[in-house]
Amino acid sequence: MIRNGLLIILILLSFNGVFAQIGYKYQLSSQDGIDVKYKIVQSKKESPVQLCLRLKNNNEYDVNLKLNLEYSTGFTTKYQSGELEVCIPKKYVKKGKSSGLAFELNSSDKELFSSGKADLELIKFEIEQIETCRGRNQ
């Protein structure tokens, strides 16, 4: 009986992880072995939306990544994430709030990018091959 309960819990947790991955449906960039995807999330209906990044290192070595995002609404209003530095071990994925890869946007519109009301781009994307991520921003 307890085994069956544990098995059900493990199955549900694994499905939760699978469905969380599906949410990163927008591909921003792929260069030098790093895939960049994002999704827009909103905790409450009227709260500002957040842009959550998913960075996958497809390389056979650890990398230190420096990036800066910029999004614009219209021709003149531009917002930047500020420079972000993250170390990603080989064949590893860093994503969302737990990795410091979530940014609050100045909007409560979840469809901001999919509707064409705003543009998103990487204005800085520097990859450095390193020996190991130990002691770096992990």
Side-chain angles (χ1 to χ4, degrees):
M1 194 75 138
I2 294 175
R3 283 187 192 168
N4 289 343
L6 287 174
L7 182 60
I8 290 171
I9 290 171
L10 289 174
I11 290 171
L12 290 174
L13 288 174
S14 66
F15 279 120
N16 187 32
V18 169
F19 290 125
Q21 292 292 327
I22 293 172
Y24 290 90
K25 61 183 177 178
Y26 302 108
Q27 181 82 27
L28 188 57
S29 176
S30 287
Q31 66 186 65
D32 297 328
I34 305 294
D35 293 337
V36 180
K37 291 186 175 184
Y38 70 95
K39 67 179 178 179
I40 305 297
V41 297
Q42 188 173 32
S43 58
K44 296 178 185 170
K45 188 169 179 135
E46 297 302 318
S47 66
V49 293
Q50 288 186 336
L51 182 136
C52 294
L53 288 178
R54 179 182 183 273
L55 305 172
K56 181 178 181 186
N57 182 1
N58 295 308
N59 294 303
E60 295 295 331
Y61 49 83
D62 294 1
V63 298
N64 192 54
L65 174 64
K66 293 179 183 177
L67 63 93
N68 193 343
L69 292 169
E70 179 178 87
Y71 79 97
S72 57
T73 54
F75 292 109
T76 58
T77 309
K78 296 186 181 210
Y79 304 96
Q80 288 191 20
S81 64
E83 185 173 307
L84 175 69
E85 185 172 349
V86 62
C87 189
I88 311 171
K90 65 181 177 181
K91 303 294 181 185
Y92 194 78
V93 174
K94 294 261 183 143
K95 64 182 182 206
K97 288 182 184 181
S98 62
S99 296
L101 298 172
F103 308 96
E104 190 172 290
L105 304 178
N106 292 333
S107 174
S108 59
D109 183 2
K110 281 184 75 171
E111 306 301 320
L112 187 65
F113 297 106
S114 62
S115 66
K117 296 177 189 173
D119 291 315
L120 178 67
E121 67 177 298
L122 287 168
I123 58 173
K124 182 176 188 175
F125 195 81
E126 296 175 1
I127 299 169
E128 174 189 7
Q129 180 179 340
I130 58 172
E131 191 173 315
T132 182
C133 278
R134 283 198 189 118
R136 295 201 177 223
N137 303 337
Q138 296 195 75

CSV table of all heavy atoms in Angstrom, one decimal, residues 89-112:
chain,number,residue,atom,x,y,z
A,89,PRO,N,27.1,24.2,-16.1
A,89,PRO,CA,27.9,23.0,-16.4
A,89,PRO,C,27.5,22.3,-17.7
A,89,PRO,O,26.4,22.6,-18.3
A,89,PRO,CB,27.5,22.0,-15.2
A,89,PRO,CG,27.0,23.0,-14.2
A,89,PRO,CD,26.3,24.1,-14.9
A,90,LYS,N,28.4,21.5,-18.2
A,90,LYS,CA,28.2,20.8,-19.5
A,90,LYS,C,26.9,20.0,-19.5
A,90,LYS,O,26.6,19.4,-18.4
A,90,LYS,CB,29.4,20.0,-19.9
A,90,LYS,CG,29.6,18.8,-19.0
A,90,LYS,CD,30.9,18.0,-19.5
A,90,LYS,CE,31.1,16.9,-18.5
A,90,LYS,NZ,32.3,16.2,-18.9
A,91,LYS,N,26.2,20.0,-20.6
A,91,LYS,CA,24.9,19.2,-20.7
A,91,LYS,C,23.9,19.5,-19.6
A,91,LYS,O,23.2,18.6,-19.2
A,91,LYS,CB,25.3,17.7,-20.8
A,91,LYS,CG,26.2,17.3,-21.9
A,91,LYS,CD,25.6,17.5,-23.2
A,91,LYS,CE,26.6,17.1,-24.3
A,91,LYS,NZ,26.1,17.4,-25.6
A,92,TYR,N,23.9,20.7,-19.2
A,92,TYR,CA,23.0,21.1,-18.0
A,92,TYR,C,22.1,22.2,-18.4
A,92,TYR,O,22.4,23.0,-19.3
A,92,TYR,CB,23.9,21.5,-16.8
A,92,TYR,CG,23.2,21.6,-15.5
A,92,TYR,CD1,22.9,20.4,-14.8
A,92,TYR,CD2,22.8,22.8,-15.0
A,92,TYR,CE1,22.2,20.5,-13.6
A,92,TYR,CE2,22.1,22.9,-13.8
A,92,TYR,CZ,21.9,21.7,-13.1
A,92,TYR,OH,21.2,21.8,-11.9
A,93,VAL,N,20.9,22.3,-17.7
A,93,VAL,CA,19.9,23.4,-18.0
A,93,VAL,C,19.8,24.2,-16.7
A,93,VAL,O,19.7,23.7,-15.6
A,93,VAL,CB,18.6,22.7,-18.3
A,93,VAL,CG1,17.5,23.8,-18.4
A,93,VAL,CG2,18.6,22.0,-19.6
A,94,LYS,N,19.8,25.5,-16.9
A,94,LYS,CA,19.5,26.5,-15.8
A,94,LYS,C,18.3,27.2,-16.3
A,94,LYS,O,18.1,27.6,-17.4
A,94,LYS,CB,20.7,27.5,-15.6
A,94,LYS,CG,21.9,26.9,-15.1
A,94,LYS,CD,22.0,27.1,-13.6
A,94,LYS,CE,23.4,26.6,-13.2
A,94,LYS,NZ,23.9,27.4,-12.1
A,95,LYS,N,17.3,27.4,-15.3
A,95,LYS,CA,16.1,28.0,-15.7
A,95,LYS,C,15.4,28.7,-14.5
A,95,LYS,O,15.6,28.3,-13.4
A,95,LYS,CB,15.1,27.0,-16.3
A,95,LYS,CG,14.7,25.9,-15.3
A,95,LYS,CD,13.8,24.9,-16.0
A,95,LYS,CE,13.5,23.9,-14.9
A,95,LYS,NZ,13.1,22.6,-15.3
A,96,GLY,N,14.6,29.7,-14.9
A,96,GLY,CA,13.7,30.3,-14.0
A,96,GLY,C,14.2,31.0,-12.8
A,96,GLY,O,15.4,31.3,-12.7
A,97,LYS,N,13.3,31.2,-11.8
A,97,LYS,CA,13.6,32.0,-10.6
A,97,LYS,C,14.7,31.3,-9.8
A,97,LYS,O,15.5,32.0,-9.2
A,97,LYS,CB,12.4,32.1,-9.7
A,97,LYS,CG,11.3,33.0,-10.2
A,97,LYS,CD,10.1,33.1,-9.3
A,97,LYS,CE,9.0,33.9,-9.8
A,97,LYS,NZ,7.9,34.0,-8.9
A,98,SER,N,14.7,30.0,-9.7
A,98,SER,CA,15.7,29.3,-8.8
A,98,SER,C,17.1,29.6,-9.3
A,98,SER,O,18.0,29.5,-8.5
A,98,SER,CB,15.4,27.8,-8.7
A,98,SER,OG,15.5,27.3,-10.0
A,99,SER,N,17.3,29.9,-10.5
A,99,SER,CA,18.6,30.2,-11.1
A,99,SER,C,18.9,31.7,-11.3
A,99,SER,O,19.9,32.1,-11.9
A,99,SER,CB,18.8,29.4,-12.4
A,99,SER,OG,18.8,28.0,-12.2
A,100,GLY,N,18.0,32.5,-10.8
A,100,GLY,CA,18.1,33.9,-11.0
A,100,GLY,C,17.8,34.4,-12.4
A,100,GLY,O,18.3,35.4,-12.9
A,101,LEU,N,17.0,33.6,-13.2
A,101,LEU,CA,16.8,33.9,-14.6
A,101,LEU,C,15.3,34.3,-14.8
A,101,LEU,O,14.7,33.9,-15.8
A,101,LEU,CB,17.1,32.6,-15.4
A,101,LEU,CG,18.6,32.2,-15.4
A,101,LEU,CD1,18.8,30.9,-16.0
A,101,LEU,CD2,19.5,33.3,-16.0
A,102,ALA,N,14.8,35.1,-13.9
A,102,ALA,CA,13.4,35.6,-14.1
A,102,ALA,C,13.5,37.1,-13.9
A,102,ALA,O,14.1,37.6,-13.0
A,102,ALA,CB,12.5,35.0,-13.0
A,103,PHE,N,12.8,37.8,-14.8
A,103,PHE,CA,12.8,39.3,-14.8
A,103,PHE,C,11.4,39.8,-14.9
A,103,PHE,O,10.6,39.4,-15.7
A,103,PHE,CB,13.6,39.8,-16.1
A,103,PHE,CG,14.9,39.2,-16.2
A,103,PHE,CD1,15.1,38.1,-17.0
A,103,PHE,CD2,16.0,39.7,-15.5
A,103,PHE,CE1,16.4,37.5,-17.1
A,103,PHE,CE2,17.2,39.1,-15.6
A,103,PHE,CZ,17.4,38.0,-16.4
A,104,GLU,N,11.1,40.7,-14.0
A,104,GLU,CA,9.8,41.3,-14.0
A,104,GLU,C,9.7,42.4,-15.1
A,104,GLU,O,10.6,43.2,-15.2
A,104,GLU,CB,9.5,42.0,-12.6
A,104,GLU,CG,8.0,42.4,-12.5
A,104,GLU,CD,7.7,42.9,-11.1
A,104,GLU,OE1,7.7,42.0,-10.1
A,104,GLU,OE2,7.6,44.1,-10.9
A,105,LEU,N,8.6,42.3,-15.8
A,105,LEU,CA,8.4,43.2,-16.9
A,105,LEU,C,7.4,44.3,-16.5
A,105,LEU,O,6.6,44.1,-15.6
A,105,LEU,CB,7.8,42.5,-18.2
A,105,LEU,CG,8.7,41.3,-18.7
A,105,LEU,CD1,8.0,40.6,-19.8
A,105,LEU,CD2,10.1,41.7,-19.1
A,106,ASN,N,7.5,45.4,-17.2
A,106,ASN,CA,6.6,46.6,-16.9
A,106,ASN,C,5.3,46.4,-17.6
A,106,ASN,O,4.8,47.3,-18.3
A,106,ASN,CB,7.3,47.9,-17.2
A,106,ASN,CG,8.5,48.2,-16.4
A,106,ASN,OD1,8.5,47.8,-15.2
A,106,ASN,ND2,9.4,48.9,-16.9
A,107,SER,N,4.6,45.3,-17.4
A,107,SER,CA,3.4,45.0,-18.0
A,107,SER,C,2.6,43.9,-17.3
A,107,SER,O,3.3,43.1,-16.6
A,107,SER,CB,3.6,44.6,-19.5
A,107,SER,OG,2.4,44.2,-20.1
A,108,SER,N,1.3,43.9,-17.4
A,108,SER,CA,0.6,42.7,-16.9
A,108,SER,C,0.0,41.9,-18.0
A,108,SER,O,-0.9,41.1,-17.8
A,108,SER,CB,-0.5,43.2,-15.9
A,108,SER,OG,-1.4,44.1,-16.6
A,109,ASP,N,0.4,42.1,-19.2
A,109,ASP,CA,-0.1,41.5,-20.4
A,109,ASP,C,0.8,40.2,-20.7
A,109,ASP,O,1.9,40.3,-21.2
A,109,ASP,CB,0.0,42.4,-21.6
A,109,ASP,CG,-0.5,41.8,-22.9
A,109,ASP,OD1,-1.0,40.7,-22.9
A,109,ASP,OD2,-0.5,42.6,-23.9
A,110,LYS,N,0.2,39.0,-20.5
A,110,LYS,CA,0.9,37.8,-20.8
A,110,LYS,C,1.2,37.6,-22.2
A,110,LYS,O,2.1,36.8,-22.6
A,110,LYS,CB,0.1,36.6,-20.2
A,110,LYS,CG,0.2,36.4,-18.8
A,110,LYS,CD,-0.5,35.1,-18.3
A,110,LYS,CE,0.3,33.9,-18.7
A,110,LYS,NZ,-0.3,32.7,-18.1
A,111,GLU,N,0.5,38.2,-23.1
A,111,GLU,CA,0.6,38.1,-24.5
A,111,GLU,C,1.5,39.1,-25.1
A,111,GLU,O,1.5,39.4,-26.3
A,111,GLU,CB,-0.7,38.0,-25.2
A,111,GLU,CG,-1.7,37.0,-24.7
A,111,GLU,CD,-1.2,35.6,-24.8
A,111,GLU,OE1,-0.6,35.3,-25.8
A,111,GLU,OE2,-1.4,34.8,-23.8
A,112,LEU,N,2.3,39.8,-24.3
A,112,LEU,CA,3.1,41.0,-24.7
A,112,LEU,C,4.0,40.7,-26.0
A,112,LEU,O,4.0,41.4,-26.9
A,112,LEU,CB,4.0,41.4,-23.6
A,112,LEU,CG,4.8,42.7,-23.7
A,112,LEU,CD1,3.8,43.9,-23.9
A,112,LEU,CD2,5.7,42.9,-22.5
